[in-house]
Amino acid sequence: MTSSEVVEFVNAGDREFGSVRARFVDGAVAPQPGHLPTTVDRQEIHGTSMQSRLLAQALRMTVRPVISMWAKASALPWPLKFLDDMGALMHPPIEGTRSHTILLDNCSAQWVEADGADSDRVVLYLHGGGFMFCGVGTHQRLVSRISSAAQAPVLMVDYRMLPTHSIGEAVDDGVNGYRWLLAKGYRPDQIVIAGDSAGGYLSFMIPLALREQGLPGPAGIVALSPLTEMDPARKTEHRNAGRDAMLPSHALDELARISDRADSRSGSLRNRSRLCPVDSDLRGLPPVLIQVGSHELLLPDSELMADRLAEAGVPCELQVWRRQVHVFQAAADVVPEAQRAIDEIAYFVKTATREPLSLVR
């Protein structure tokens, strides 16, 4: 159920949406009658800059070997906190950004507000890093760019991570971040949940957890190169298994093993029976934007998630960016496609939180 459209780089400000509209009930997107299946709005975005090609080569020679070594010796004392600290020094927020720390029930969060951000909308952001690496430090520059482009403050949750904590606990931390926004006076139809990689996984699981708790869901979901299925089989058998510039396929096997071990240690039946986003009941979720690179190891996760969303009647726009690396949006300082992708995110956020809400071009 995929409708495909090949496009060149889009000026988000010139885009228009069509006639499909979402209904809101108590601030949440209401399920459509019968949850009728829809089609994926798939866009193959062509054009690869020289900067993007050079970045891919640099990552293949530096980051990919390190991740490969970690996957073969994950029990070693890797300096995970050091990585986030160095990221904070090397990638500060863009100029004019204001930020401060928020204390949630079991973790902290960072309130990030770029120049021009207002109170009409807000983004709840979950950083990537395989549920084990990175944090608010490595992602503060990307998040500040999203805040600037979307003209919205961002609450980035520094959720609990593997191997000490389970993925279920990370979902709980994201839910607590959402509750904090509600307590601050934001309506659900003003909130978009976003995340990259493992954070993309959480960006789907948090709205599902909200539904289980009887809370109204967000206005939209943005997932950048999301992990949506913990089982690595589909990805390791895909043609991209050997051509991803950053992620070696065997790292997914190790991540799945560590995740299963954390779930088995948990006393929670919910953790032991946890479903991945692609296997969950997705009916009634809000509109979704997924961005992924055409050569990424996680491309099949994005494609499968988009198809499952469409089967559930959820409007989904899948943007496949030609030869872009994993979470290429973080390289907006040097890669022109990255800033264009951030502009697309901003347009989606503004549209999702606007009344009346138009979803499909």
Side-chain angles (χ1 to χ4, degrees), residues 216-238:
I221 297 171
V222 176
L224 313 181
S225 304
L227 173 71
T228 63
E229 184 178 35
M230 291 301 294
D231 184 350
R234 197 186 312 267
K235 293 178 278 290
T236 56
E237 295 169 0
H238 193 270

Side-chain angles (χ1 to χ4, degrees), residues 40-315:
V40 178
D41 178 12
R42 177 171 179 140
Q43 299 182 28
E44 301 281 347
I45 302 183
H46 290 184
T48 309
S49 65
M50 180 59 69
Q51 298 97 312
S52 176
R53 295 174 186 271
L54 291 173
L55 174 63
Q57 186 62 27
L59 292 173
R60 187 177 296 277
M61 297 173 63
T62 56
V63 176
R64 183 184 170 103
V66 172
I67 295 177
S68 181
M69 287 189 291
W70 167 82
K72 296 173 182 177
S74 64
L76 293 177
W78 293 84
L80 304 183
K81 182 65 169 61
F82 176 76
L83 175 65
D84 191 42
D85 292 340
M86 286 300 296
L89 292 174
M90 296 174 63
H91 304 288
I94 61 174
E95 187 176 353
T97 301
R98 300 171 298 280
S99 65
H100 62 272
T101 301
I102 302 295
L103 296 180
L104 302 176
D105 287 350
N106 296 295
C107 69
S108 63
Q110 198 74 12
W111 182 260
V112 179
E113 193 169 0
D115 268 347
D118 56 40
S119 59
D120 292 341
R121 63 189 69 88
V122 67
V123 176
L124 178 68
Y125 196 89
L126 295 310
H127 67 80
F131 303 107
M132 296 185 66
F133 309 97
C134 302
V136 297
T138 55
H139 282 67
Q140 60 183 347
R141 192 165 184 85
L142 169 61
V143 165
S144 67
R145 285 190 179 277
I146 293 174
S147 174
S148 177
Q151 296 177 306
V154 179
L155 181 68
M156 179 167 43
V157 180
D158 195 14
Y159 56 85
R160 292 169 289 176
M161 293 195 287
L162 298 172
T164 308
H165 300 280
S166 68
I167 294 176
E169 288 170 303
V171 174
D172 290 342
D173 292 339
V175 170
N176 286 335
Y178 188 89
R179 287 180 177 273
W180 185 88
L181 292 174
L182 294 179
K184 287 297 178 181
Y186 283 100
R187 301 188 312 272
D189 62 331
Q190 293 177 302
I191 303 172
V192 171
I193 299 180
D196 65 274
S197 195
Y201 181 108
L202 298 175
S203 72
F204 291 111
M205 295 306 295
I206 290 167
L208 295 173
L210 293 171
R211 184 177 65 191
E212 289 182 2
Q213 297 178 26
L215 291 171
I221 297 171
V222 176
L224 313 181
S225 304
L227 173 71
T228 63
E229 184 178 35
M230 291 301 294
D231 184 350
R234 197 186 312 267
K235 293 178 278 290
T236 56
E237 295 169 0
H238 193 270
R239 64 182 182 275
N240 284 357
R243 60 182 186 176
D244 189 298
M246 184 184 297
L247 302 177
S249 60
H250 62 277
L252 298 179
D253 295 303
E254 184 63 8
L255 174 61
R257 186 187 68 80
I258 293 172
S259 173
D260 288 343
R261 189 169 59 191
D263 285 346
S264 66
R265 288 199 310 265
S266 172
S268 169
L269 177 62
R270 183 199 66 178
N271 285 338
R272 294 197 296 271
S273 59
R274 171 175 48 83
L275 292 177
C276 291
V278 295
D279 298 320
S280 299
D281 181 0
L282 304 175
R283 292 174 297 176
L285 285 184
V288 175
L289 170 65
I290 299 175
Q291 294 181 340
V292 66
S294 65
H295 283 38
E296 283 198 58
L297 181 61
L298 297 187
L299 173 64
D301 275 26
S302 293
E303 293 176 325
L304 179 61
M305 189 68 195
D307 285 341
R308 295 284 170 85
L309 287 164
E311 290 168 6
V314 178

